[in-house]
Amino acid sequence: MTSPWTLDELTEQELDLQFDRFDNDTAWELGSQLVAAARAAGLPVVVAIHRNGQRLFHVALPGTSADNDAWVERKARVVARFGHSSFLVGERCRAKGSTFEETMRLDQDSYAAHGGSFPVTVRGVGVVGSVTVSGLPQVEDHRFVVAQLTEYSRLAKSTHSM
């Protein structure tokens, strides 16, 4: 698999897509937007949003299974542990000629550095959670989350702060 993004571009995504605040209502708005976009595109995905260890939002669309729920949890744990998107963490290992599994030596049943989980970062605070999607190939999971966060940010700037 070749990434369509450089490590610098993946890092820039995280710097650009930050929130001024992130509460339960924000999770509901963002999660609902992701679900609406996935439904409109006919995507079989699970969408989950966590903050400070609590799942605030979770929807499993048609075509998903309990396996997708497990992938969500494994990818979200990578964000919680490393403070970066699950895709960026995996790409950093691959850029060094290794794999996440070989480099980090973590339980593969608990951690998956595959695309689809993106950090929820609050400006001035840091990473407080994650937005995670599972059901597509990892590049597409990552692309979908980033596209939806970008859209949410655009809409937020016109109505309220992100």
Side-chain angles (χ1 to χ4, degrees), residues 81-141:
R81 184 168 183 136
F82 296 97
H84 294 287
S85 77
S86 54
F87 191 68
L88 175 57
V89 171
E91 283 298 292
R92 284 181 174 164
C93 294
R94 287 184 281 277
K96 294 177 183 174
S98 187
T99 65
F100 173 77
E101 295 77 14
E102 292 169 347
T103 302
M104 299 303 169
R105 317 253 327 131
L106 295 170
D107 179 10
Q108 294 180 43
D109 290 336
S110 297
Y111 295 91
H114 294 265
S117 191
F118 198 89
V120 170
T121 304
V122 175
R123 287 179 191 88
V125 176
V127 176
V128 299
S130 60
V131 177
T132 310
V133 169
S134 175
L136 308 172
Q138 69 168 325
V139 168
E140 296 309 311
D141 276 348

Side-chain angles (χ1 to χ4, degrees), residues 21 23 25 27 53 89 106 108-109 112 115 123 145 152 158 161-162:
R21 66 173 183 79
D23 58 17
D25 291 333
V89 171
L106 295 170
Q108 294 180 43
D109 290 336
R123 287 179 191 88
V145 171
Y152 186 85
S158 66
S161 62
M162 176 171 159

